[in-house]
Amino acid sequence: MAKDGEKKTCGQVMDEWKEFFWNPRTHEFLGRTASSWGLILLFYLVFYIFLAGMFVLTMYVMLLTLDDYEPTYQDRLATPGMMIQPTGKALDITYNIEDTESWDLHVQALNIFLAPYNESEQVLNNKECTPDDYFIQADSGEIRNNPKRSCQFNRTLLGECSGLNDLYYGYNVGKPCVLIKLNRVIGMYPGKERQSPHVSCGVKTENSDLIRELQYYPANAAFNLMYFPYYGKKAQVNYSQPLVAVKFHNITFNAEINIECKINSNTIANPTSERDKFAGRVSFKLRINRKD
């Protein structure tokens, strides 16, 4: 043994480490006997099983309070959001009339989006409803009226923006169509006294002369009440969101135009906050380039 204050040799240090890993005299491994290691492992095993059990029990109790068809709590704005199709890049619809590829992407996006609105699909999956009345499908106590039916929305309602007669939705001649939809909100009643919410569009900041003629489809630019209330994706598997199309017939070429479309309703609050630019409205840029 080295005396106090003397420096240990490398062999002594190695012997001490070997004895720490395994002491043949006391049968200790890493400073503990087999029974000591067994008690520690047993403690942690029981401890983590208890934690896992508490987690599973908490999740089970929470799941008992949830409804598979409707959220228990809905923390939503008083005004639902809106969106357009085609979305373009960051809601920027820019193309050149002479460049087919620049507007063909928008045409293809509209074709894909409107495919479920074909009359054959709607007749097969959805019901022909009474216009201007809510399509209420109440449950009978705890007996659910599921699956719930949905009302037909045929793309023919979109007129010149349906893509049936004009295969290019006006993009090839500088008279493009833009589709507008209201975001789905479970249990929302967007109008009263048989007054459906309707859409209005206009230039947001620039001179209004940049857009001289708009046409809406349906003609009243309304989301008919028969498509409400919405009962959720699981309850209404074939639900078709109502659409409003706006066609820009006479627009100024080679100019970037900021357009805003908003919802007008006697039950939905008018959008006032600039913090949420999609609450009850949607803003997008439209630029159509053409050689002079």
Side-chain angles (χ1 to χ4, degrees):
M1 291 288 295
K3 295 181 180 179
D4 293 341
E6 291 183 2
K7 193 173 184 180
K8 296 180 181 179
T9 64
C10 181
Q12 290 174 327
V13 173
M14 292 298 297
D15 289 340
E16 289 179 358
W17 274 103
K18 289 179 181 179
E19 187 173 323
F20 172 73
F21 280 107
W22 173 248
N23 190 328
R25 292 179 291 100
T26 59
H27 300 286
E28 292 179 350
F29 175 70
L30 296 178
R32 292 183 179 275
T33 62
S35 59
S36 177
W37 278 114
L39 290 173
I40 289 177
L41 293 175
L42 179 62
F43 168 78
Y44 280 108
L45 178 64
V46 173
F47 177 68
Y48 284 114
I49 288 176
F50 173 77
L51 289 182
M54 287 292 294
F55 175 77
V56 171
L57 179 62
T58 303
M59 293 297 295
Y60 175 73
V61 173
M62 183 191 71
L63 291 174
L64 289 178
T65 65
L66 299 180
D67 193 320
D68 291 338
Y69 296 92
E70 183 177 352
T72 305
Y73 302 102
Q74 292 193 66
D75 184 16
R76 63 177 177 85
L77 297 172
T79 307
M82 298 176 69
M83 187 49 66
I84 63 167
Q85 286 290 338
T87 57
K89 184 178 181 181
L91 299 184
D92 185 353
I93 303 175
T94 300
Y95 70 94
N96 191 311
I97 294 178
E98 288 82 9
D99 183 5
T100 304
E101 291 185 0
S102 68
W103 51 260
D104 187 61
L105 293 175
H106 301 312
V107 171
Q108 294 302 321
L110 290 173
N111 285 335
I112 294 172
F113 180 77
L114 287 176
Y117 291 91
N118 288 331
E119 185 174 0
S120 57
E121 292 286 333
Q122 292 295 313
V123 171
L124 178 65
N125 297 317
N126 295 334
K127 172 188 169 89
E128 189 172 354
C129 301
T130 303
D132 302 323
D133 278 327
Y134 288 120
F135 186 31
I136 298 176
Q137 305 171 75
D139 298 327
S140 300
E142 295 184 358
I143 301 176
R144 294 189 177 276
N145 180 21
N146 290 331
K148 301 183 188 300
R149 299 295 305 275
S150 300
C151 295
Q152 294 180 18
F153 187 97
N154 297 323
R155 62 192 296 180
T156 53
L157 295 172
L158 301 177
E160 294 182 27
C161 293
S162 66
L164 298 176
N165 298 321
D166 180 1
L167 301 180
Y168 305 114
Y169 304 92
Y171 281 81
N172 59 327
V173 292
K175 299 180 180 181
C177 291
V178 175
L179 305 182
I180 304 167
K181 63 177 182 176
L182 195 64
N183 289 353
R184 302 179 185 186
V185 177
I186 294 177
M188 182 180 69
Y189 293 85
K192 61 183 179 180
E193 299 175 355
R194 299 172 65 87
Q195 295 295 315
S196 299
H198 65 277
V199 173
S200 59
C201 298
V203 178
K204 187 175 180 181
T205 55
E206 300 94 340
N207 191 328
S208 60
D209 289 341
L210 294 174
I211 297 177
R212 291 176 285 274
E213 184 181 355
L214 296 177
Q215 188 170 3
Y216 297 97
Y217 301 96
N220 60 359
F223 299 111
N224 200 282
L225 295 181
M226 66 182 176
Y227 301 104
F228 303 95
Y230 173 59
Y231 289 97
K233 185 183 296 185
K234 193 169 183 178
Q236 281 181 295
V237 294
N238 295 319
Y239 181 75
S240 297
Q241 284 179 267
L243 306 172
V244 168
V246 56
K247 187 174 182 67
F248 298 89
H249 276 283
N250 193 352
I251 189 170
T252 302
F253 296 124
N254 305 316
E256 186 175 280
I257 306 172
N258 291 311
I259 300 170
E260 182 178 80
C261 296
K262 62 180 181 179
I263 191 70
N264 303 280
S265 169
N266 52 17
T267 62
I268 298 176
N270 291 326
T272 56
S273 174
E274 287 295 328
R275 297 182 62 184
D276 192 341
K277 297 182 179 180
F278 294 95
R281 61 188 168 188
V282 59
S283 299
F284 60 96
K285 294 180 181 179
L286 179 61
R287 182 185 180 96
I288 305 174
N289 296 320
R290 188 184 67 173
K291 294 181 180 178
D292 293 332

